[in-house]
């Protein structure tokens, strides 16, 4: 009459999907996420990479930067005194306001000295001024840079370069955040400028004011003026040297730096290779690693989805193995049974992957903006890339279909009889015989629990590793939570400082109010540090160690370093160190470690430092105040502004961390759930045997789950010290790689919360396993052992 | 299609011990015959049926159906051969729970060149009105009849039945047997039915008795009775 096709088998596969809609929904969500994550990352990174390469080329980005001391060296002071006739000038920035040609003299002599020390490079001095902006919504900050000739040239994104007096270019991000358009007026220190363009600079160690890598473009901006305005602008100019490698390699350069470069160039402070700079180095790392990272995350998510579907398939196939066996007996080939499943799963997966891909194309724009905001880069074009499409779609799809095919083929590829009458011997394989293990001194239950673990050592390893991975993601997200709160906010919160008032130069007159402080960039042994020298007997800036003990006494006896600096430098209490500034050395003992994570701070007594450097114990350059000062200072920094600024940027990070915690827990949940489900599937037949033997459900549950739950709890307990070790390792590693502190920490309360969440997840997982065990009917169990 | 077995042996490995399930079975079943293979549990009936139907391989000996060798065929060739010629029913019905009765019947027709419609097949087992129900809505006897329809839908020339009434009570079991008898009468389908139930033997043309993998008796049944007249044990 007619030949019947595959329609009915499609119908069967379709009903299978409908019945397991929850699994498929989860698969869909995971595949969507996988396609989305990969596409977003890949597209935004590709756009940034293309744009950045051209940008770095065009602006001639520095290969390294050389930080130099603002304080003049002894011979420079002599020159300033004798040639320029300035008696009291102590710093380069003060000199820039006092006598610009003398300032240029010193800079060019420093440059010459540097070129002698570092042969085979070209250098250009980079000048910059930090200016507070008083705007309606609070205090903003601006860093005005000179227009470089050859290294780190400015890049105008939009509009025109300011060429004549009264023109200015600012950051596009800042302009957008503050509703500033081209041609608008912009007031800087009482002078009115016209915004002619939006500018970018490729030197990445500059655009950071108070935090090693956070830049809040809503309140901070870089700026470019005409050369004339820049020279005339009344503010102290600080300087560093930007360099390009000509005939030497980066490692040779580092070698030159290490070989007593300080002897020839006492003003030398630090050499930073662009690739090792937290901000710029991270760009390269991001570009190189971001892709791989996205791929791994996407693959991991896709793999979870895969696991779900394979488990679902396994279950369905096992439930249907006998009917399928009969169909095979009747002459229906495997492929007619398998193909509809594959086709429907494939269409379904493709749909969600495609949705993820499309959503990722859109999300790549804001993602790129986040990168751009962070790294201050020009905008690249997000365009449809076939490679991304292929990787985002084809990879997970091939994996999914390939694995599903293999699983189904292996299960259905057997002879019909093997499907219809699965032999007892086969099911029991690798199981029942080995049940007589363990010492008789252990109770029956414990022996059985061990037996179940030993029965599938590979799967148990997967269980432990999977659990550990999930646990770890959680520990890390908890550790990162509120991480930034632990830096500056905690630091300033622990002091009574409201305002830091900076003088233009080192000052010796008694200030009208507040505590005198010397803030200086020094080197402690090999590591750069911010030295905060506090007056004896001051109370505004307390110092405490991690146990809350007062360190004022230790301060009088030597150097107190912050926990952050200790991590960065590897220095500990009791070490004797050499503190260096502009060629002068002072040997000091570290007498305490203060519980401070913000930056690389070290503390000493101001009187001691002042006497050492300026031969006058009254010297200071900052006044710490508990309220706004009455008199004028060169620069006022409000700690509330800094903290608020950090918190603003923080907000995104906090959201990010929360998403991280949530997704880590979600993944942990999925993993634990899958693992427990897998347990029952794995041990189905021995469990059935227990049923046949007449064991109570509750005993069977204890036998199977007991051992695994114990192992899971053990994982958590072991996970705590391992996580703490990993935190310490990460801190060290980040400190070494990027000279950047990651104050990962977890409080006992967080551990408790996490433990509760973990228990809940485990409980949910075991609940579903319990349900499965209970649902396993005695009839099915008997059927297995009947034949 | 005649079935011919020559000196067929089948051994299984059971935890390192060889068990002989069939020991030199010789059997000729001419086309259109209704044969019952009788024997106690473990005597090798299912094994015999499986090797005859090409569901399992033999350890030694020859099997041919319609003059074509079965034992030496590839899995793929066997599959196509079974599709075109053979039908099977088992003690359990093994229907797909997510498909309706009619849909279950249709699954048996895959690739068949000349098949009944599912409804026609259901009409033969008197279940037309249950076409749109799901298996769980039917009694055991009805489910077995669906399984028979599924085997019959592609018009097989031989029907192999392994304890088809093993899970049924007397009344529904007899209904199933009546159906098989009718099918045999109407379509002249060769039927090989294995059972441990002696009562059933009386409905067949011929009774082959199997003990410990050997044929110990083989005779024509002159006093064929209708399934209604037999007594269950
Ligand atoms: N797959 C198998 N593996 C091992 N032994 C088997 C297998 N199938 C059947 N046997 C053995 O072969 C013998 C005959 O079995 P079977 O043909 O099922 O008998 P019957 O159907 O008459 O009850 C029995 O001893 C049985 O244990
Ligand atoms: Mg049998």
């Amino acid at each position: 009459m007619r030949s019947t096709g595959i329609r009915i088998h499609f119908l069967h596969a379709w009903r299978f999907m409908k019945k397991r809609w929850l699994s498929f929904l989860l698969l869909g969500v995971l595949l969507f996420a996988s396609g989305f994550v990969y596409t977003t990352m890949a597209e935004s990174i590709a756009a940034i990479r293309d744009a950045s390469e051209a940008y770095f080329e065009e602006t001639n980005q520095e290969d390294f930067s050389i930080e130099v001391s603002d304080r003049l060296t002894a011979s420079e002071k002599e020159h300033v005194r004798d040639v320029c006739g300035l008696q009291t000038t102590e710093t380069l920035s003060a000199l820039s306001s006092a006598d610009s040609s003398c300032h240029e003299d010193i800079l060019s002599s420093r440059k010459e000295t540097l070129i002698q020390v570092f042969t085979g490079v070209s250098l250009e001095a980079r000048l910059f001024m930090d200016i507070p902006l008083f705007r309606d919504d609070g205090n903003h900050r601006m860093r005005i840079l000179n227009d470089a000739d050859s290294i780190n040239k400015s890049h105008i994104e939009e509009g025109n370069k300011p060429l004549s007096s009264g023109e200015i270019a600012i950051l596009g991000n800042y302009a957008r955040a503050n509703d500033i358009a081209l041609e608008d007026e912009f007031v800087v220190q009482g002078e009115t400028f016209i915004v002619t363009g939006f500018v970018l600079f490729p030197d990445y160690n500059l655009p950071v004011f108070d935090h090693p890598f956070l830049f809040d473009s809503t309140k901070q901006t870089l700026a470019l003026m005409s050369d004339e305005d820049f020279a005339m602008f009344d503010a102290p100019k600080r300087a560093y040297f930007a360099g390009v490698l000509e005939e030497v390699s980066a490692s040779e350069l580092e070698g030159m730096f290490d070989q007593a470069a300080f002897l020839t160039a006492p003003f030398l402070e630090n050499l930073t290779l662009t690739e090792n700079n937290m901000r710029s180095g991270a760009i390269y790392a991001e570009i190189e690693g971001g892709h791989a990272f996205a791929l791994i995350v996407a693959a991991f998510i896709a793999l979870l989805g895969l696991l779900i579907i394979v488990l679902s398939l396994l279950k369905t196939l096992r439930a249907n193995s006998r009917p399928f066996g009969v169909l095979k007996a009747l002459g229906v080939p495997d492929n007619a049974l398998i193909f509809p499943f594959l086709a429907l799963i494939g269409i379904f997966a493709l749909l969600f992957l495609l949705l993820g891909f499309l959503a990722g194309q859109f999300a790549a724009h804001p993602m790129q903006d986040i990168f751009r905001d962070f790294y201050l880069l020009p905008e690249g074009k997000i365009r449809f890339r076939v490679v991304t499409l292929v990787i985002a779609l084809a990879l997970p799809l091939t994996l999914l279909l390939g694995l599903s095919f293999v699983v189904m083929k292996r299960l259905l590829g057997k002879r019909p009889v093997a499907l219809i009458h699965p032999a007892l011997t086969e099911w029991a394989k690798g199981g029942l015989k080995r049940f007589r293990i363990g010492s008789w001194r252990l109770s029956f239950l414990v022996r059985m629990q061990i037996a179940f673990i030993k029965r599938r050592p590979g799967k148990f390893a997967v269980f432990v590793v999977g659990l550990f991975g999930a646990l770890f993601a959680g520990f890390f997200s908890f550790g990162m939570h509120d991480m930034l709160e632990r830096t500056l906010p905690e630091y300033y919160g622990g002091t009574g400082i409201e305002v830091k008032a900076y003088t233009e130069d080192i000052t010796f007159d008694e200030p009208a109010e507040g505590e005198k402080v010397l803030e200086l960039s020094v080197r402690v042994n090999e590591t750069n540090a911010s030295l905060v020298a506090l007056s004896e007997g001051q109370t505004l800036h307390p110092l405490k160690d991690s146990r809350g003990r007062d360190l004022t006494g230790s301060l009088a006896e030597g150097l107190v370093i912050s926990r952050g600096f200790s991590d960065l430098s590897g220095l500990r209490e009791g070490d004797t160190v050499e503190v260096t500034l502009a060629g002068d050395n002072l040997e000091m003992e570290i007498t305490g470690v203060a519980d401070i994570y913000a930056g690389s701070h070290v503390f000493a007594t101001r009187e001691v430092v002042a006497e050492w450097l300026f031969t006058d114990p009254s010297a200071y350059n900052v006044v710490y105040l508990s309220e706004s000062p009455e008199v004028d200072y060169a620069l006022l920094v409000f700690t509330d502004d800094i903290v608020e600024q950090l918190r603003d940027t923080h907000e995104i990070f906090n959201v990010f961390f929360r998403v991280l915690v949530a997704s880590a827990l979600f993944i942990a949940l999925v993993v634990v759930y899958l693992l427990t489900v897998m347990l029952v599937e794995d041990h189905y037949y021995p469990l059935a045997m227990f049923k046949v033997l007449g064991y109570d459900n509750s005993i069977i549950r204890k036998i199977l789950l007991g051992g695994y739950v114990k192992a899971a709890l053990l994982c958590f307990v072991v996970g705590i010290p391992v996580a703490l070790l990993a935190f310490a390792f990460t801190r060290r590693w980040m400190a070494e790689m990027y000279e950047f502190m990651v104050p990962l920490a977890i409080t006992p309360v967080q551990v408790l919360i996490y433990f509760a969440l973990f228990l809940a997840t485990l409980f949910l997982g075991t609940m579903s396993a319990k349900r499965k065990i209970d649902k396993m009917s005695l009839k099915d169990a008997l059927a297995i052992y009947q034949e | 299609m005649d079935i011919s077995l020559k000196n067929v042996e089948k051994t299984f490995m059971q935890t390192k011990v060889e068990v002989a399930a069939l020991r030199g079975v010789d059997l000729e079943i001419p086309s259109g015959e209704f044969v019952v293979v009788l024997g106690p549990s473990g005597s090798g009936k299912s094994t015999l049926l499986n090797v005859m139907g090409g569901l399992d391989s033999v350890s030694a000996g020859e099997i041919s159906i319609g003059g074509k060798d079965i034992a030496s065929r590839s899995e793929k060739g066997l599959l196509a051969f079974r599709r075109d010629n053979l039908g099977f029913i088992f003690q359990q019905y093994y229907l797909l729970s997510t498909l309706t009765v009619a849909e279950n019947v249709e699954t048996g027709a895959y690739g068949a060149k000349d098949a009944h419609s599912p409804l026609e097949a259901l009409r033969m087992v008197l279940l037309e009105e249950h076409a749109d129900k799901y298996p769980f809505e039917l009694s055991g006897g009805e489910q077995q009849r669906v399984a028979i329809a599924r085997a019959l839908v592609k018009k097989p020339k031989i029907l192999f039945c392994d304890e088809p009434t093993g899970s049924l009570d007397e009344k529904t079991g007899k209904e199933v047997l009546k159906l098989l008898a009718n099918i045999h009468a109407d379509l002249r389908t060769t039927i090989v039915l294995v059972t441990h139930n002696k009562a059933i033997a009386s409905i067949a043309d011929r009774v082959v008795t199997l003990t410990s993998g050997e044929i110990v008796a083989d005779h024509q049944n002159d006093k064929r009775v209708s399934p209604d007249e037999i007594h269950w044990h």
Side-chain angles (χ1 to χ4, degrees):
Chain A
M1 180 214 84
R2 65 192 181 123
S3 169
T4 318
I6 204 159
R7 185 194 75 94
I8 199 72
H9 296 288
F10 264 104
L11 192 68
H12 180 235
W14 170 245
R15 299 241 171 99
F16 148 81
M17 278 174 72
K18 258 174 50 184
K19 214 173 145 194
R20 306 204 168 276
W21 66 271
L22 200 67
S23 292
F24 274 87
L25 191 71
L26 202 55
L27 173 76
V29 170
L30 288 171
L31 288 179
F32 174 85
S34 161
F36 177 75
V37 166
Y38 181 73
T39 308
T40 308
M41 292 295 285
E43 292 291 293
S44 55
I45 286 170
I48 284 192
R49 183 185 49 218
D50 292 355
S52 308
E53 269 168 17
Y55 165 67
F56 292 146
E57 188 71 22
E58 173 213 317
T59 56
N60 194 25
Q61 190 196 29
E62 65 190 7
D63 295 327
F64 62 94
S65 61
I66 296 172
E67 281 158 48
V68 291
S69 162
D70 193 39
R71 182 172 171 264
L72 298 170
T73 62
S75 65
E76 285 169 345
K77 262 193 257 184
E78 215 168 279
H79 176 92
V80 170
R81 210 167 32 237
D82 300 348
V83 180
C84 317
L86 294 166
Q87 299 303 320
T88 57
T89 309
E90 293 277 351
T91 58
L92 196 58
S93 46
L95 184 62
S96 74
S97 322
D99 185 337
S100 62
S101 77
C102 192
H103 180 242
E104 263 170 45
D105 287 350
I106 300 290
L107 278 182
S108 53
S109 103
R110 280 189 176 190
K111 181 174 164 184
E112 260 164 50
T113 312
L114 287 174
I115 284 189
Q116 279 167 22
V117 176
F118 301 107
T119 49
V121 303
S122 61
L123 292 175
E124 182 173 354
R126 164 63 99 192
L127 298 177
F128 58 97
M129 303 178 267
D130 283 354
I131 312 289
L133 300 171
F134 302 103
R135 292 185 61 89
D136 297 341
D137 63 333
N139 297 338
H140 293 193
R141 296 174 75 183
M142 167 178 264
R143 180 165 283 184
I144 310 171
L145 306 177
N146 68 328
D147 195 14
D149 291 330
S150 60
I151 304 174
N152 293 341
K153 290 187 280 190
S154 56
H155 170 88
I156 299 292
E157 272 193 296
E158 220 184 309
N160 301 308
K161 196 165 166 172
L163 292 173
S164 34
S165 185
E167 293 181 349
I168 197 167
I170 57 175
L171 284 183
N173 285 345
Y174 177 81
R176 278 184 286 279
N178 290 283
D179 281 327
I180 299 167
L182 292 177
E183 305 302 328
D184 278 2
E185 290 188 347
F186 192 75
V187 180
V188 184
Q189 277 195 354
E191 285 183 51
T192 304
F193 290 84
I194 299 292
V195 177
T196 59
F198 297 141
V199 70
L200 285 175
F201 297 92
D203 36 352
Y204 285 98
N205 51 344
L206 273 182
V208 183
F209 292 87
D210 297 302
H211 195 274
F213 71 90
L214 288 183
F215 182 83
D216 178 5
S217 62
T218 63
K219 291 190 171 160
Q220 296 173 339
T221 182
L222 305 179
L224 179 71
M225 293 175 169
S226 65
D227 290 343
E228 178 194 351
D229 279 357
F230 184 83
M232 299 296 292
F233 201 84
D234 182 26
K237 297 179 178 63
R238 288 195 278 151
Y240 91 97
F241 287 89
V244 168
L245 299 168
E246 305 279 3
E247 285 146 27
V248 287
S249 69
S251 58
E252 283 170 327
L253 193 73
E254 283 184 315
M256 295 173 194
F257 179 77
D258 290 339
Q259 278 165 22
F262 297 103
L263 294 181
T264 327
F267 53 80
L268 189 58
E269 271 186 353
N270 198 23
L271 170 81
T272 307
L273 293 175
T274 305
E275 64 197 53
N276 292 344
N277 181 294
M278 178 62 199
R279 286 175 66 85
S280 54
I283 298 181
Y284 296 111
E286 206 86 55
I287 287 173
E288 283 164 22
H291 228 96
F293 172 76
L295 202 64
I296 290 169
V297 170
F300 180 72
I301 298 174
L303 228 60
L304 277 183
L306 217 75
L307 212 61
I308 291 172
I309 278 324
V310 166
L311 278 174
S312 223
L313 275 176
L314 271 174
K315 222 179 138 158
T316 304
L317 290 185
R318 197 168 49 213
N320 285 329
S321 91
R322 289 149 195 254
F324 278 173
V326 175
L327 290 180
K328 278 188 78 168
L330 292 174
V332 181
D334 297 349
N335 291 345
L337 301 174
I338 295 174
F339 176 72
F341 281 91
L342 290 186
L344 289 184
I345 292 173
I347 291 169
F348 181 84
L350 194 66
L351 193 77
F352 278 88
L353 285 169
L354 205 63
L355 281 178
F357 174 79
L358 291 177
Q361 287 280 338
F362 284 104
H365 289 275
M367 189 71 202
Q368 195 201 13
D369 288 344
I370 290 174
F371 278 124
R372 277 175 8 91
D373 210 32
F374 191 87
Y375 296 115
L376 301 180
L377 287 169
E379 185 165 14
K381 237 195 164 65
I382 307 269
R383 54 195 168 80
F384 175 83
R385 275 164 234 260
V386 181
V387 194
T388 314
L389 183 76
V390 167
I391 295 177
L393 263 61
L395 221 65
L397 204 62
T398 316
L399 220 65
L400 183 68
L401 294 183
L403 206 70
S404 301
F405 178 76
V406 169
V407 165
M408 296 185 78
K409 194 77 187 175
R410 268 195 59 178
L411 269 166
L412 293 184
K414 297 176 195 146
R415 285 232 172 84
V417 259
L419 287 172
I420 300 170
H421 308 289
L424 172 66
T425 45
E426 191 190 329
W427 294 119
K429 213 189 286 172
L432 301 179
K433 279 171 292 166
R434 282 196 250 144
F435 262 65
R436 268 177 290 116
I437 57 137
S439 152
W440 285 104
R441 269 174 294 152
L442 295 171
S443 74
F444 169 76
L445 203 60
V446 172
R447 264 184 296 117
M448 280 302 150
Q449 289 174 348
I450 295 173
F452 264 96
I453 286 175
K454 276 200 178 172
R455 187 170 168 265
R456 291 265 189 276
K459 290 285 171 61
F460 182 68
V462 169
F463 179 81
V464 170
V465 169
L467 204 63
F468 226 76
L471 261 175
F472 236 68
F475 271 122
F476 259 83
S477 5
F478 270 111
M480 282 192 286
H481 187 252
D482 270 355
M483 185 169 80
L484 296 179
E485 226 18 72
R486 253 168 257 139
T487 59
L488 287 170
E490 200 177 276
Y491 174 49
Y492 287 122
T495 71
I497 307 167
E498 288 297 321
V499 192
K500 296 206 235 173
Y502 289 85
T503 61
E504 192 154 316
D505 199 0
I506 304 292
T507 308
F508 301 92
D509 314 329
E510 223 26 52
E513 59 211 308
E515 298 284 0
K516 297 188 288 184
V517 177
L518 267 171
E519 280 189 12
L520 299 164
S521 297
V522 296
R523 289 171 66 80
V524 177
N525 282 2
E526 295 298 299
T527 317
N528 282 12
S530 314
L531 173 66
V532 178
L534 301 164
S535 296
E536 256 168 45
Q538 61 84 30
T539 50
L540 221 46
H541 189 307
L543 279 176
K544 293 205 173 78
D545 72 4
S546 55
R547 279 183 239 153
R549 283 180 309 205
D550 188 19
L551 289 173
T552 323
S554 317
L555 196 63
E557 286 155 25
L559 195 67
V560 169
I561 65 176
S562 63
R563 159 101 10 244
F565 183 73
S566 174
D567 277 332
L568 281 177
S569 61
L571 293 171
R572 301 279 174 271
E573 189 174 338
D575 291 351
T576 303
V577 293
E578 193 146 275
V579 182
T580 317
L581 178 69
D584 288 338
N585 296 328
L586 182 65
E587 200 153 277
M588 290 182 98
E589 195 195 318
I590 296 178
T591 50
V593 177
D595 198 29
I596 293 171
Y597 275 108
S600 40
H601 285 54
V602 301
F603 304 90
T605 312
R606 190 187 53 79
E607 285 79 358
V608 173
V609 176
E611 183 66 47
W612 162 46
L613 290 171
F614 308 103
T615 54
D616 181 345
S618 65
Y620 68 95
N621 62 351
V622 202
V623 179
Y624 285 0
L625 298 141
S626 54
E627 53 192 30
S628 285
E630 309 275 315
V631 288
D632 266 356
Y633 282 94
L635 179 68
L636 291 185
V637 174
F638 294 85
T639 54
D640 278 353
D641 283 352
I642 298 175
V643 169
E644 196 196 318
Q645 223 161 59
L646 185 77
R647 286 206 176 117
D648 278 357
T649 9
H650 209 144
E651 209 41 55
I652 313 169
F653 276 77
N654 261 347
V655 170
F656 176 70
F657 289 144
R658 255 170 233 144
V659 169
L660 213 65
V661 174
S663 36
L665 286 176
F666 172 72
I667 289 179
L669 193 94
V670 172
V671 168
V672 173
Y673 177 78
L674 287 179
L675 289 173
T676 40
V677 171
M678 233 158 58
L679 279 185
V680 180
E681 301 285 311
D682 259 2
H683 301 292
Y684 198 84
Y685 291 96
L687 288 178
M689 185 198 72
F690 278 108
K691 282 231 173 183
V692 174
L693 293 178
Y695 282 89
D696 195 57
N697 275 343
S698 67
I699 303 269
I700 297 179
R701 287 196 306 245
K702 274 187 199 142
I703 288 175
L704 174 67
L705 299 175
Y708 281 84
V709 168
K710 279 176 200 160
L713 294 181
L714 197 68
C715 273
F716 190 92
V717 174
V718 172
I720 297 171
V722 175
L724 291 179
L725 272 178
F727 285 0
F729 176 79
T730 310
R731 286 208 309 255
R732 285 280 162 74
W733 180 69
M734 284 301 281
E736 254 175 46
M737 281 291 285
Y738 296 117
E739 300 185 0
F740 169 63
M741 274 310 302
V742 186
L744 285 168
I746 190 162
T747 62
V749 176
Q750 283 176 319
V751 171
L752 278 180
I753 293 174
Y754 190 28
F755 189 62
L757 285 170
F758 179 72
L759 275 186
T761 312
L762 205 62
F763 180 72
L764 277 178
T766 49
M767 277 295 281
S768 80
K770 277 179 194 168
R771 260 212 328 274
K772 275 170 204 295
I773 293 175
D774 293 348
K775 254 175 40 189
M776 184 191 286
S777 71
L778 190 60
K779 195 172 134 252
D780 287 352
L782 272 170
I784 292 164
Y785 286 98
Q786 227 174 20
E787 280 141 19
Chain B
M1 279 184 136
D2 302 343
I3 306 170
S4 157
L5 282 75
K6 287 207 181 74
N7 200 21
V8 168
E9 292 183 16
K10 175 76 183 176
T11 50
F12 291 107
M13 283 298 291
Q14 272 183 4
T15 48
K16 291 174 192 159
V17 185
E18 274 198 12
V19 175
L22 297 176
R23 313 164 189 250
V25 173
D26 290 301
L27 188 62
E28 300 282 337
I29 299 173
S31 189
E33 202 169 36
F34 190 154
V35 181
V36 165
V37 178
L38 200 61
S41 180
S43 57
K45 306 181 297 289
S46 295
T47 309
L48 178 67
L49 202 78
N50 290 340
V51 297
M52 234 193 267
L55 300 182
D56 207 350
S57 60
V58 294
S59 305
E62 285 167 28
I63 301 173
S64 66
I65 298 179
K68 295 202 180 77
D69 183 29
I70 292 292
S72 64
R73 284 218 179 184
S74 69
E75 279 299 320
K76 221 175 155 182
L78 269 180
L79 191 85
F81 181 79
R82 291 200 303 265
R83 181 192 66 206
D84 294 340
N85 303 296
L86 312 183
F88 292 89
I89 45 179
F90 301 91
Q91 178 174 350
Q92 303 291 333
Y93 334 115
Y94 303 139
L95 302 173
L96 291 168
S97 57
T98 54
L99 295 183
T100 64
V101 164
E103 286 159 357
N104 261 292
V105 172
E106 194 179 338
T107 59
Y110 179 84
K113 288 176 197 77
D114 175 32
H116 293 292
S117 76
L119 279 183
E120 281 168 350
L122 281 172
R123 198 173 304 138
M124 293 196 292
V125 297
L126 311 172
L127 280 178
E128 219 181 342
E129 71 275 22
H130 294 313
D132 293 328
K133 286 189 178 161
Y134 283 91
F136 69 88
E137 296 173 284
L138 303 185
S139 71
E142 287 165 334
Q143 288 190 50
Q144 186 62 296
R145 277 146 65 191
V146 177
I148 295 171
R150 174 176 62 184
L152 288 179
V153 68
K154 56 172 184 174
K155 304 180 184 171
K157 296 175 186 72
I158 305 169
L159 190 58
F160 292 108
C161 315
D162 190 346
E163 306 267 14
T165 57
S167 302
L168 302 176
D169 59 30
E170 180 161 359
K171 188 170 160 286
T172 48
K174 278 182 183 172
E175 279 166 21
V176 166
L177 291 177
K178 249 193 312 201
L179 254 167
L180 291 174
N182 288 345
I183 287 158
H184 177 249
D186 296 348
L187 307 171
R188 300 312 303 164
T189 309
T190 311
I191 296 183
V192 182
L193 188 155
V194 311
T195 180
H196 65 278
N197 190 341
K198 290 199 183 76
I200 293 174
S202 53
I203 68 165
D205 296 335
R206 176 181 170 192
V207 180
V208 175
T209 310
L210 200 65
T211 308
S212 301
E214 283 171 302
I215 294 178
V216 292
D218 181 351
H219 54 82
Q220 297 293 321
N221 179 18
D222 304 328
K223 288 172 271 175
R224 261 193 74 172
V225 296
S226 139
D228 283 329
E229 298 164 40
I230 60 174
H231 295 285
W232 227 242
H233 296 292

